[in-house]
Coordinates of all heavy atoms in Angstrom, one line a residue:
M35 N 6.9 -19.2 -13.4 CA 7.3 -17.9 -12.9 C 8.3 -17.3 -13.8 O 9.4 -17.9 -14.1 CB 7.9 -18.1 -11.5 CG 8.2 -16.8 -10.8 SD 8.7 -16.9 -9.1 CE 9.1 -18.5 -8.7
N36 N 8.0 -16.1 -14.4 CA 8.8 -15.5 -15.3 C 9.7 -14.4 -14.6 O 9.2 -13.7 -13.7 CB 8.0 -14.7 -16.4 CG 7.3 -15.7 -17.3 OD1 7.8 -16.8 -17.6 ND2 6.1 -15.4 -17.7
W37 N 11.0 -14.3 -15.0 CA 11.9 -13.4 -14.5 C 11.4 -12.0 -14.9 O 11.0 -11.7 -16.0 CB 13.3 -13.6 -15.0 CG 14.3 -12.8 -14.3 CD1 14.9 -13.1 -13.1 CD2 14.9 -11.6 -14.7 NE1 15.8 -12.1 -12.8 CE2 15.8 -11.2 -13.8 CE3 14.7 -10.8 -15.8 CZ2 16.5 -10.0 -13.9 CZ3 15.4 -9.6 -16.0 CH2 16.3 -9.3 -15.0
N38 N 11.5 -11.0 -14.0 CA 11.0 -9.7 -14.2 C 12.1 -8.7 -13.7 O 12.3 -8.6 -12.5 CB 9.7 -9.5 -13.6 CG 9.1 -8.1 -13.8 OD1 9.7 -7.1 -13.6 ND2 7.8 -8.1 -14.3
L39 N 12.7 -7.9 -14.6 CA 13.8 -7.0 -14.1 C 13.3 -6.0 -13.2 O 13.9 -5.7 -12.1 CB 14.4 -6.3 -15.3 CG 15.5 -5.3 -15.0 CD1 16.7 -5.9 -14.3 CD2 15.9 -4.6 -16.3
H40 N 12.1 -5.4 -13.5 CA 11.6 -4.3 -12.6 C 11.3 -4.9 -11.2 O 11.6 -4.3 -10.2 CB 10.3 -3.7 -13.2 CG 9.8 -2.5 -12.4 ND1 10.5 -1.3 -12.4 CD2 8.7 -2.4 -11.6 CE1 9.8 -0.5 -11.6 NE2 8.8 -1.1 -11.1
R41 N 10.7 -6.1 -11.1 CA 10.4 -6.7 -9.8 C 11.7 -7.0 -9.1 O 11.8 -6.8 -7.9 CB 9.6 -8.0 -10.0 CG 9.4 -8.8 -8.8 CD 8.8 -8.1 -7.6 NE 7.6 -7.4 -7.9 CZ 7.2 -6.3 -7.1 NH1 7.8 -6.0 -6.0 NH2 6.1 -5.7 -7.4
A42 N 12.7 -7.5 -9.8 CA 14.0 -7.7 -9.1 C 14.6 -6.5 -8.6 O 15.1 -6.5 -7.4 CB 15.0 -8.4 -10.2
M43 N 14.6 -5.4 -9.3 CA 15.1 -4.1 -8.8 C 14.3 -3.6 -7.6 O 14.9 -3.1 -6.6 CB 15.1 -3.1 -9.9 CG 16.1 -3.4 -11.0 SD 17.8 -3.3 -10.4 CE 18.7 -3.7 -11.9
L44 N 13.0 -3.7 -7.7 CA 12.2 -3.3 -6.6 C 12.4 -4.1 -5.3 O 12.6 -3.6 -4.2 CB 10.7 -3.3 -6.9 CG 10.1 -2.2 -7.8 CD1 8.7 -2.5 -8.2 CD2 10.2 -0.9 -7.0
N45 N 12.5 -5.4 -5.5 CA 12.8 -6.3 -4.4 C 14.2 -5.9 -3.7 O 14.3 -5.8 -2.5 CB 12.8 -7.7 -4.8 CG 11.4 -8.3 -5.0 OD1 10.4 -7.7 -4.6 ND2 11.3 -9.4 -5.6
S46 N 15.2 -5.7 -4.6 CA 16.5 -5.3 -4.0 C 16.4 -4.0 -3.3 O 17.0 -3.8 -2.2 CB 17.5 -5.3 -5.1 OG 17.9 -6.6 -5.5
Y47 N 15.7 -3.0 -3.9 CA 15.5 -1.7 -3.3 C 14.8 -1.9 -1.9 O 15.3 -1.3 -0.9 CB 14.7 -0.8 -4.2 CG 14.1 0.4 -3.5 CD1 14.9 1.5 -3.3 CD2 12.8 0.4 -3.0 CE1 14.4 2.6 -2.6 CE2 12.3 1.5 -2.3 CZ 13.1 2.6 -2.2 OH 12.6 3.7 -1.5
F48 N 13.8 -2.7 -1.8 CA 13.1 -2.9 -0.5 C 14.0 -3.5 0.5 O 13.9 -3.2 1.7 CB 11.8 -3.7 -0.7 CG 10.7 -2.9 -1.4 CD1 10.0 -3.4 -2.5 CD2 10.4 -1.6 -1.0 CE1 9.0 -2.7 -3.1 CE2 9.3 -0.9 -1.6 CZ 8.7 -1.4 -2.7
V49 N 14.8 -4.5 0.1 CA 15.7 -5.2 1.0 C 16.8 -4.2 1.5 O 17.1 -4.1 2.7 CB 16.3 -6.5 0.4 CG1 17.4 -7.0 1.3 CG2 15.1 -7.5 0.2
I50 N 17.4 -3.6 0.5 CA 18.6 -2.7 0.8 C 18.2 -1.5 1.6 O 18.8 -1.1 2.6 CB 19.4 -2.4 -0.5 CG1 20.0 -3.6 -1.1 CG2 20.5 -1.4 -0.2 CD1 20.4 -3.5 -2.5
I51 N 17.3 -0.7 1.1 CA 16.9 0.6 1.6 C 15.9 0.5 2.7 O 16.0 1.2 3.7 CB 16.4 1.5 0.5 CG1 17.5 1.6 -0.7 CG2 16.1 2.9 1.0 CD1 18.9 2.1 -0.2
R52 N 14.9 -0.3 2.5 CA 13.7 -0.3 3.5 C 13.9 -1.5 4.5 O 13.0 -1.6 5.3 CB 12.4 -0.4 2.7 CG 12.2 0.7 1.8 CD 11.9 2.0 2.5 NE 11.7 3.2 1.7 CZ 10.6 3.6 1.1 NH1 9.5 3.0 1.4 NH2 10.6 4.7 0.4
D53 N 14.9 -2.3 4.4 CA 15.2 -3.3 5.3 C 14.1 -4.4 5.4 O 13.8 -4.9 6.5 CB 15.5 -2.7 6.7 CG 16.3 -3.7 7.6 OD1 17.1 -4.5 7.0 OD2 16.2 -3.6 8.8
Y54 N 13.5 -4.7 4.2 CA 12.5 -5.8 4.2 C 13.2 -7.1 4.3 O 14.4 -7.3 3.9 CB 11.8 -5.7 2.8 CG 10.7 -4.7 2.7 CD1 10.7 -3.5 3.3 CD2 9.6 -5.0 1.8 CE1 9.7 -2.6 3.2 CE2 8.6 -4.0 1.6 CZ 8.7 -2.8 2.3 OH 7.7 -1.9 2.1
D55 N 12.5 -8.1 4.8 CA 13.0 -9.4 4.9 C 12.9 -10.1 3.5 O 11.8 -10.2 3.0 CB 12.1 -10.2 5.9 CG 12.6 -11.6 6.1 OD1 13.3 -12.2 5.3 OD2 12.2 -12.2 7.2
P56 N 14.0 -10.5 2.9 CA 14.0 -11.0 1.6 C 13.2 -12.3 1.5 O 12.6 -12.6 0.5 CB 15.5 -11.3 1.2 CG 16.2 -11.3 2.5 CD 15.4 -10.4 3.5
Y57 N 13.1 -13.1 2.6 CA 12.4 -14.3 2.6 C 10.9 -14.1 2.5 O 10.2 -14.9 1.8 CB 12.8 -15.2 3.8 CG 14.2 -15.5 3.7 CD1 15.1 -14.9 4.5 CD2 14.7 -16.5 2.8 CE1 16.5 -15.2 4.4 CE2 16.0 -16.8 2.7 CZ 16.9 -16.1 3.5 OH 18.3 -16.4 3.4
L58 N 10.4 -13.0 3.1 CA 9.0 -12.7 2.9 C 8.7 -12.2 1.5 O 7.6 -12.5 1.0 CB 8.6 -11.6 3.9 CG 8.5 -12.0 5.4 CD1 8.2 -10.8 6.3 CD2 7.5 -13.1 5.6
L59 N 9.6 -11.5 0.9 CA 9.4 -11.1 -0.5 C 9.4 -12.3 -1.4 O 8.6 -12.3 -2.3 CB 10.5 -10.1 -0.9 CG 10.5 -8.7 -0.3 CD1 11.7 -7.9 -0.7 CD2 9.2 -8.0 -0.8
M60 N 10.2 -13.2 -1.1 CA 10.2 -14.4 -2.0 C 8.9 -15.2 -1.8 O 8.4 -15.8 -2.8 CB 11.4 -15.4 -1.6 CG 12.7 -14.9 -2.1 SD 14.0 -16.1 -1.7 CE 14.9 -15.2 -0.4
K61 N 8.4 -15.2 -0.6 CA 7.2 -15.9 -0.4 C 6.0 -15.2 -1.0 O 5.1 -15.8 -1.6 CB 6.9 -16.0 1.1 CG 5.7 -16.8 1.5 CD 5.6 -16.9 3.0 CE 4.3 -17.5 3.4 NZ 4.1 -17.5 4.8
N62 N 5.9 -13.9 -0.9 CA 4.8 -13.1 -1.3 C 4.8 -12.6 -2.8 O 3.8 -12.3 -3.4 CB 4.5 -11.9 -0.4 CG 4.2 -12.3 1.0 OD1 3.6 -13.4 1.2 ND2 4.7 -11.6 2.0
N63 N 6.0 -12.4 -3.3 CA 6.1 -11.9 -4.7 C 6.9 -13.0 -5.5 O 6.9 -14.2 -5.2 CB 6.9 -10.6 -4.7 CG 6.1 -9.5 -4.1 OD1 4.9 -9.3 -4.3 ND2 6.8 -8.7 -3.3
S64 N 7.6 -12.5 -6.5 CA 8.5 -13.4 -7.1 C 9.9 -13.3 -6.4 O 10.1 -12.4 -5.7 CB 8.7 -13.0 -8.6 OG 9.2 -11.7 -8.7
G65 N 10.7 -14.4 -6.5 CA 11.9 -14.4 -5.7 C 13.1 -13.9 -6.4 O 14.2 -14.4 -6.3
F66 N 12.9 -12.8 -7.2 CA 14.0 -12.3 -8.0 C 14.6 -11.0 -7.3 O 13.9 -10.2 -6.8 CB 13.5 -11.9 -9.4 CG 12.9 -13.0 -10.1 CD1 11.5 -13.0 -10.5 CD2 13.6 -14.1 -10.5 CE1 11.0 -14.0 -11.2 CE2 13.1 -15.1 -11.2 CZ 11.7 -15.1 -11.5
F67 N 15.9 -10.9 -7.4 CA 16.6 -9.8 -6.8 C 17.7 -9.4 -7.7 O 18.2 -10.2 -8.5 CB 17.2 -10.2 -5.4 CG 16.2 -10.5 -4.4 CD1 15.8 -11.8 -4.2 CD2 15.7 -9.5 -3.6 CE1 14.8 -12.1 -3.3 CE2 14.7 -9.8 -2.6 CZ 14.3 -11.1 -2.5
A68 N 18.1 -8.1 -7.6 CA 19.2 -7.6 -8.4 C 20.5 -7.8 -7.7 O 21.6 -7.5 -8.3 CB 19.0 -6.1 -8.7
H69 N 20.5 -8.3 -6.5 CA 21.7 -8.6 -5.7 C 21.4 -9.9 -5.0 O 20.3 -10.5 -5.0 CB 22.0 -7.5 -4.7 CG 21.1 -7.5 -3.5 ND1 19.7 -7.2 -3.6 CD2 21.3 -7.7 -2.2 CE1 19.2 -7.3 -2.4 NE2 20.2 -7.6 -1.5
D70 N 22.4 -10.5 -4.4 CA 22.3 -11.7 -3.6 C 21.9 -11.3 -2.2 O 22.8 -10.9 -1.4 CB 23.5 -12.5 -3.7 CG 23.4 -13.9 -2.9 OD1 22.4 -14.1 -2.3 OD2 24.4 -14.7 -3.0
P71 N 20.7 -11.5 -1.8 CA 20.3 -11.1 -0.4 C 20.8 -12.0 0.7 O 20.7 -11.7 1.9 CB 18.8 -11.0 -0.4 CG 18.4 -12.0 -1.5 CD 19.5 -11.9 -2.5
T72 N 21.4 -13.1 0.3 CA 22.0 -14.0 1.3 C 23.5 -13.8 1.6 O 24.0 -14.5 2.4 CB 21.8 -15.5 0.8 OG1 22.5 -15.7 -0.4 CG2 20.3 -15.8 0.6
S73 N 24.1 -12.9 0.9 CA 25.5 -12.6 1.1 C 25.7 -11.1 1.5 O 24.7 -10.3 1.4 CB 26.4 -13.0 -0.1 OG 26.1 -12.1 -1.2
S74 N 26.9 -10.8 1.8 CA 27.1 -9.4 2.2 C 26.9 -8.5 1.0 O 27.2 -8.8 -0.1 CB 28.5 -9.2 2.8 OG 29.5 -9.6 1.9
L75 N 26.5 -7.3 1.3 CA 26.1 -6.3 0.3 C 27.4 -5.7 -0.2 O 28.3 -5.3 0.5 CB 25.2 -5.2 1.0 CG 24.6 -4.2 0.1 CD1 23.7 -4.9 -0.9 CD2 23.8 -3.2 0.9
N76 N 27.5 -5.5 -1.5 CA 28.6 -4.8 -2.1 C 28.1 -3.6 -2.9 O 27.0 -3.5 -3.3 CB 29.5 -5.7 -3.0 CG 28.8 -6.2 -4.2 OD1 28.4 -5.4 -5.0 ND2 28.7 -7.5 -4.4
K77 N 29.0 -2.6 -2.9 CA 28.7 -1.3 -3.5 C 28.3 -1.4 -4.9 O 27.4 -0.7 -5.4 CB 29.9 -0.4 -3.3 CG 29.6 1.1 -3.7 CD 30.8 1.9 -3.4 CE 30.6 3.4 -3.7 NZ 31.8 4.2 -3.5
E78 N 28.9 -2.3 -5.7 CA 28.6 -2.4 -7.1 C 27.1 -2.8 -7.4 O 26.5 -2.3 -8.3 CB 29.5 -3.4 -7.8 CG 31.0 -2.9 -7.9 CD 31.7 -3.1 -6.6 OE1 31.3 -3.9 -5.7 OE2 32.7 -2.3 -6.4
D79 N 26.6 -3.7 -6.5 CA 25.2 -4.1 -6.6 C 24.3 -2.9 -6.4 O 23.3 -2.7 -7.1 CB 24.9 -5.3 -5.7 CG 25.5 -6.6 -6.2 OD1 25.9 -6.7 -7.4 OD2 25.7 -7.5 -5.3
V80 N 24.6 -2.2 -5.3 CA 23.7 -1.0 -5.0 C 23.8 0.0 -6.1 O 22.8 0.6 -6.4 CB 24.1 -0.5 -3.6 CG1 23.3 0.7 -3.2 CG2 24.1 -1.5 -2.5
E81 N 25.0 0.2 -6.6 CA 25.1 1.2 -7.7 C 24.3 0.7 -8.9 O 23.8 1.6 -9.7 CB 26.6 1.4 -8.1 CG 27.3 2.2 -7.0 CD 28.8 2.3 -7.2 OE1 29.4 1.4 -7.8 OE2 29.4 3.2 -6.7
G82 N 24.2 -0.6 -9.2 CA 23.4 -1.1 -10.3 C 22.0 -0.8 -10.1 O 21.2 -0.5 -11.0
V83 N 21.5 -1.0 -8.8 CA 20.1 -0.6 -8.5 C 19.8 0.9 -8.7 O 18.8 1.3 -9.3 CB 19.7 -1.1 -7.1 CG1 18.3 -0.7 -6.7 CG2 19.8 -2.6 -7.0
L84 N 20.8 1.7 -8.3 CA 20.7 3.1 -8.5 C 20.6 3.5 -10.0 O 19.8 4.2 -10.4 CB 21.9 3.8 -7.8 CG 22.1 5.3 -8.1 CD1 20.9 6.1 -7.6 CD2 23.4 5.8 -7.5
S85 N 21.5 2.8 -10.7 CA 21.5 3.1 -12.2 C 20.2 2.8 -12.8 O 19.7 3.5 -13.7 CB 22.6 2.3 -12.8 OG 22.6 2.5 -14.2
Y86 N 19.6 1.7 -12.4 CA 18.3 1.3 -13.0 C 17.2 2.3 -12.7 O 16.5 2.8 -13.5 CB 17.8 -0.1 -12.4 CG 16.4 -0.4 -12.8 CD1 16.2 -1.0 -14.1 CD2 15.3 -0.2 -12.0 CE1 14.9 -1.3 -14.5 CE2 14.1 -0.5 -12.4 CZ 13.9 -1.1 -13.7 OH 12.6 -1.4 -14.1
F87 N 17.2 2.8 -11.4 CA 16.1 3.8 -11.1 C 16.4 5.2 -11.6 O 15.5 6.0 -11.8 CB 15.9 3.8 -9.5 CG 15.2 2.6 -9.1 CD1 15.8 1.7 -8.3 CD2 13.8 2.4 -9.4 CE1 15.1 0.5 -7.8 CE2 13.1 1.3 -9.0 CZ 13.7 0.4 -8.2
E88 N 17.7 5.5 -12.0 CA 18.0 6.7 -12.7 C 17.4 6.6 -14.1 O 16.8 7.6 -14.6 CB 19.5 6.9 -12.8 CG 20.1 7.3 -11.5 CD 21.7 7.4 -11.5 OE1 22.3 6.7 -12.4 OE2 22.2 8.0 -10.7
E89 N 17.5 5.4 -14.7 CA 17.0 5.2 -16.1 C 15.4 5.3 -16.0 O 14.8 5.8 -16.9 CB 17.3 3.8 -16.6 CG 18.8 3.7 -16.9 CD 19.1 3.9 -18.3 OE1 18.3 3.7 -19.2 OE2 20.3 4.3 -18.6
E90 N 14.8 4.9 -14.9 CA 13.4 4.9 -14.7 C 12.9 6.3 -14.3 O 11.7 6.6 -14.3 CB 13.0 3.9 -13.7 CG 13.1 2.5 -14.1 CD 12.2 2.1 -15.2 OE1 11.0 2.3 -15.1 OE2 12.7 1.6 -16.2
E91 N 13.9 7.2 -14.0 CA 13.6 8.6 -13.6 C 12.8 8.6 -12.3 O 11.9 9.4 -12.1 CB 13.0 9.4 -14.7 CG 13.8 9.6 -15.9 CD 13.2 10.4 -17.0 OE1 12.1 10.9 -16.8 OE2 13.9 10.6 -18.0
D92 N 13.1 7.6 -11.4 CA 12.4 7.5 -10.1 C 13.4 8.2 -9.1 O 14.2 7.6 -8.4 CB 12.2 6.1 -9.7 CG 11.3 6.0 -8.5 OD1 11.3 6.9 -7.7 OD2 10.6 4.9 -8.3
Y93 N 13.3 9.5 -9.1 CA 14.3 10.3 -8.3 C 14.2 10.2 -6.8 O 15.1 10.4 -6.1 CB 14.3 11.8 -8.8 CG 14.6 11.8 -10.3 CD1 13.7 12.3 -11.2 CD2 15.8 11.4 -10.8 CE1 14.0 12.4 -12.5 CE2 16.1 11.4 -12.1 CZ 15.2 11.9 -13.0 OH 15.5 11.9 -14.3
V94 N 13.0 9.8 -6.3 CA 12.9 9.6 -4.9 C 13.7 8.4 -4.5 O 14.5 8.5 -3.5 CB 11.4 9.4 -4.5 CG1 11.2 9.0 -3.0 CG2 10.6 10.7 -4.8
K95 N 13.6 7.3 -5.2 CA 14.4 6.1 -4.9 C 15.9 6.4 -5.1 O 16.7 6.0 -4.3 CB 14.0 4.9 -5.7 CG 12.7 4.3 -5.3 CD 12.3 3.1 -6.1 CE 11.0 2.5 -5.7 NZ 9.9 3.3 -5.9
C96 N 16.2 7.2 -6.1 CA 17.6 7.6 -6.4 C 18.2 8.3 -5.2 O 19.3 8.0 -4.8 CB 17.7 8.4 -7.7 SG 17.4 7.5 -9.2
K97 N 17.5 9.3 -4.7 CA 18.0 10.0 -3.6 C 18.2 9.1 -2.4 O 19.2 9.2 -1.7 CB 17.0 11.1 -3.2 CG 17.4 12.0 -2.1 CD 16.5 13.1 -1.8 CE 17.0 14.0 -0.7 NZ 16.1 15.1 -0.4
E98 N 17.3 8.2 -2.1 CA 17.4 7.3 -1.0 C 18.6 6.4 -1.1 O 19.4 6.2 -0.2 CB 16.2 6.5 -0.8 CG 15.0 7.2 -0.3 CD 13.8 6.3 -0.2 OE1 13.3 5.9 -1.3 OE2 13.3 6.1 0.9
I99 N 18.8 5.9 -2.4 CA 19.9 5.0 -2.6 C 21.2 5.7 -2.5 O 22.2 5.2 -2.0 CB 19.7 4.3 -4.0 CG1 18.5 3.4 -4.0 CG2 21.0 3.5 -4.4 CD1 18.0 3.0 -5.4
N100 N 21.3 6.9 -3.1 CA 22.5 7.8 -3.0 C 22.9 8.0 -1.6 O 24.1 7.9 -1.2 CB 22.3 9.1 -3.8 CG 22.9 9.0 -5.2 OD1 23.9 8.5 -5.4 ND2 22.1 9.6 -6.1
N101 N 21.9 8.4 -0.8 CA 22.2 8.7 0.7 C 22.7 7.4 1.3 O 23.6 7.5 2.2 CB 20.9 9.2 1.4 CG 20.6 10.6 1.0 OD1 21.4 11.3 0.5 ND2 19.3 11.0 1.1
F102 N 22.1 6.3 1.0 CA 22.5 5.0 1.6 C 24.0 4.7 1.2 O 24.8 4.4 2.1 CB 21.7 3.8 1.1 CG 22.1 2.5 1.5 CD1 21.7 2.0 2.8 CD2 22.9 1.7 0.7 CE1 22.1 0.8 3.2 CE2 23.3 0.4 1.2 CZ 22.9 0.0 2.4
I103 N 24.3 4.9 -0.1 CA 25.7 4.6 -0.5 C 26.7 5.6 0.2 O 27.7 5.1 0.7 CB 25.8 4.8 -2.1 CG1 25.1 3.7 -2.8 CG2 27.3 4.9 -2.5 CD1 24.9 3.9 -4.3
K104 N 26.4 6.8 0.3 CA 27.3 7.8 0.9 C 27.4 7.5 2.4 O 28.6 7.5 2.9 CB 26.7 9.2 0.8 CG 26.8 9.7 -0.6 CD 26.2 11.1 -0.7 CE 26.2 11.6 -2.2 NZ 25.4 12.8 -2.4
T105 N 26.4 7.1 3.0 CA 26.5 6.8 4.5 C 27.2 5.5 4.7 O 28.1 5.5 5.5 CB 25.0 6.7 5.1 OG1 24.4 7.9 4.9 CG2 25.1 6.4 6.5
K106 N 26.8 4.4 4.0 CA 27.4 3.1 4.3 C 28.9 3.1 3.9 O 29.7 2.7 4.7 CB 26.7 2.0 3.5 CG 27.3 0.7 3.7 CD 26.4 -0.4 3.3 CE 27.0 -1.8 3.4 NZ 27.3 -2.2 4.8
W107 N 29.3 3.5 2.8 CA 30.7 3.4 2.4 C 31.6 4.5 2.8 O 32.8 4.3 3.0 CB 30.8 3.1 0.9 CG 30.4 1.7 0.6 CD1 31.3 0.6 0.8 CD2 29.2 1.1 0.3 NE1 30.7 -0.6 0.5 CE2 29.4 -0.3 0.2 CE3 27.9 1.6 0.0 CZ2 28.4 -1.2 -0.1 CZ3 26.9 0.7 -0.4 CH2 27.1 -0.7 -0.4
S108 N 31.1 5.7 3.1 CA 31.9 6.7 3.7 C 32.2 6.3 5.2 O 33.3 6.6 5.7 CB 31.3 8.1 3.6 OG 30.2 8.2 4.3
L109 N 31.2 5.8 5.9 CA 31.5 5.3 7.3 C 32.5 4.2 7.4 O 33.3 4.2 8.2 CB 30.2 4.9 7.9 CG 29.2 6.0 8.3 CD1 27.9 5.4 8.9 CD2 29.8 7.0 9.3
E110 N 32.4 3.3 6.4 CA 33.4 2.2 6.4 C 34.8 2.7 6.2 O 35.8 2.2 6.8 CB 33.1 1.2 5.3 CG 31.9 0.3 5.7 CD 31.7 -0.8 4.7 OE1 32.5 -1.0 3.7 OE2 30.7 -1.5 4.8
N111 N 35.0 3.8 5.3 CA 36.3 4.3 5.1 C 36.8 5.1 6.3 O 38.0 5.0 6.6 CB 36.2 5.3 3.9 CG 36.0 4.6 2.6 OD1 36.4 3.4 2.4 ND2 35.4 5.3 1.6
I112 N 35.9 5.7 7.1 CA 36.3 6.4 8.3 C 36.8 5.3 9.3 O 37.8 5.5 10.0 CB 35.1 7.2 8.9 CG1 34.9 8.4 7.9 CG2 35.4 7.7 10.3 CD1 33.6 9.2 8.2
K113 N 36.1 4.2 9.4 CA 36.4 3.2 10.4 C 37.8 2.6 10.1 O 38.5 2.1 11.0 CB 35.4 2.1 10.4 CG 34.1 2.5 11.0 CD 33.1 1.4 10.9 CE 31.7 1.8 11.4 NZ 30.7 0.8 11.3
K114 N 38.2 2.5 8.8 CA 39.5 1.9 8.4 C 40.7 2.8 8.8 O 41.8 2.3 8.9 CB 39.5 1.6 6.9 CG 38.6 0.5 6.5 CD 38.6 0.3 5.0 CE 37.6 -0.7 4.6 NZ 37.6 -0.9 3.1
K115 N 40.4 4.1 9.0 CA 41.6 5.0 9.2 C 42.0 4.9 10.7 O 41.5 4.5 11.6 CB 41.1 6.4 8.9 CG 41.0 6.6 7.5 CD 40.6 8.1 7.2 CE 40.4 8.3 5.7 NZ 40.0 9.6 5.4

């Protein structure tokens, strides 16, 4: 099984944005991710996925990821206040 950056980014996108089960992705595709799906999600990992899709000029995914980032981390900041 060869490591594939595009597959890793897609897998992370599907887990983060589309709420796919990472274990099913590992079973059905390659088990590569751009983030660690077994630990808590951090903003830097999501921004890395965003950066990749910006380079790919996949603006639909970029919009979804940007909305996710704004929603998730702005809500956490509101809860802390």
Side-chain angles (χ1 to χ4, degrees):
M35 183 170 18
N36 293 327
W37 189 84
N38 181 309
L39 176 62
H40 187 70
R41 173 52 49 203
M43 291 295 179
L44 282 173
N45 284 348
S46 286
Y47 165 80
F48 287 130
V49 169
I50 295 166
I51 304 302
R52 300 289 173 92
D53 204 28
Y54 281 29
D55 183 338
Y57 298 102
L58 290 177
L59 289 173
M60 284 185 253
K61 180 180 176 185
N62 296 327
N63 294 319
S64 58
F66 303 115
F67 295 89
H69 76 295
D70 181 355
T72 64
S73 67
S74 61
L75 190 60
N76 68 58
K77 187 176 181 182
E78 292 78 23
D79 288 340
V80 180
E81 289 172 335
V83 175
L84 172 62
S85 178
Y86 175 81
F87 286 112
E88 287 173 340
E89 295 263 331
E90 292 292 307
E91 298 181 2
D92 189 336
Y93 300 117
V94 172
K95 285 183 180 64
C96 291
K97 183 177 179 179
E98 290 176 296
I99 297 167
N100 264 318
N101 288 340
F102 176 84
I103 290 170
K104 288 176 187 173
T105 301
K106 180 166 178 58
W107 280 280
S108 67
L109 287 176
E110 284 185 7
N111 290 333
I112 292 170
K113 290 177 186 177
K114 289 179 183 178
K115 291 180 181 181

